[in-house]
Amino acid sequence: MSDFHNLAAEFQMNSECISRDILEGRIQTPGGVIYEDAHWMVDHSISPVVLRGFLIIKPKRHCEQFAELTPEEIGSFAQVLHHTTIALTRVLGPEKVYICSFGDMVRHIHFYVIPRTSDMPAEGLEVLHLMFDGRWSCSDDEAAEVAARVREEVAHLRNP
């Protein structure tokens, strides 16, 4: 089992909600908060970092399914997602940016924003599978540097 899976299992056993722990500052992500508004928060994935630029968008309010989001949260999400993907594209220049949500291990809806670079297979499910075996991992410092650059781009997009 990968370090990521071990860590996720440990958080699941020791935490009611890892997303809540991050939102309330009990767990720090590399580079800290990239963006937040009244409804959403964007940050880099937790350590150990499986992929440089692997961002996570999560609602500030606890909910487990997309259908539980309010119209205001959904409206805000569209802009947060748009700005996040533009900023990540400008910073890393990936060939594609995947957006997906799998909320079974962490019972708080969240959206993965995953850059696929030219050295990765051009097949989303294969990228997801291979991402957790360590082949594209990076240091917390590298992840923090990407987070800082994406934060600057998002700020520029929001306030041109």
Side-chain angles (χ1 to χ4, degrees), residues 39 61 68-77:
H39 305 291
R61 180 178 68 84
E68 296 173 14
L69 296 172
T70 66
E72 293 80 17
E73 289 167 329
I74 291 169
S76 176
F77 174 71

Side-chain angles (χ1 to χ4, degrees), residues 4 8 43 45 53-58 77 81 84-85 88 97-106 108-115 128 131-132:
F4 178 83
D43 54 16
S45 62
F54 175 16
L55 307 182
I56 299 178
I57 302 173
K58 62 185 83 42
F77 174 71
L81 179 62
T84 300
T85 57
L88 186 61
V97 175
Y98 297 125
I99 296 126
C100 54
S101 177
F102 300 101
D104 293 323
M105 245 200 301
V106 176
H108 185 121
I109 193 169
H110 55 285
F111 300 88
Y112 294 154
V113 180
I114 303 168
L128 283 174
M131 204 166 81
F132 296 99

Side-chain angles (χ1 to χ4, degrees), residues 8 11-12 14-29 33 36 39-46 56-64 101-112:
F11 279 131
Q12 189 175 16
N14 298 324
S15 173
E16 183 177 315
C17 178
I18 188 174
S19 289
R20 179 66 38 212
D21 289 342
I22 293 168
L23 287 162
E24 293 177 3
R26 290 187 291 275
I27 296 172
Q28 300 296 313
T29 59
V33 175
E36 74 180 301
H39 305 291
W40 298 94
M41 182 171 140
V42 180
D43 54 16
H44 205 289
S45 62
I46 60 173
I56 299 178
I57 302 173
K58 62 185 83 42
K60 291 174 123 178
R61 180 178 68 84
H62 179 81
C63 61
E64 296 184 17
S101 177
F102 300 101
D104 293 323
M105 245 200 301
V106 176
R107 307 286 303 174
H108 185 121
I109 193 169
H110 55 285
F111 300 88
Y112 294 154

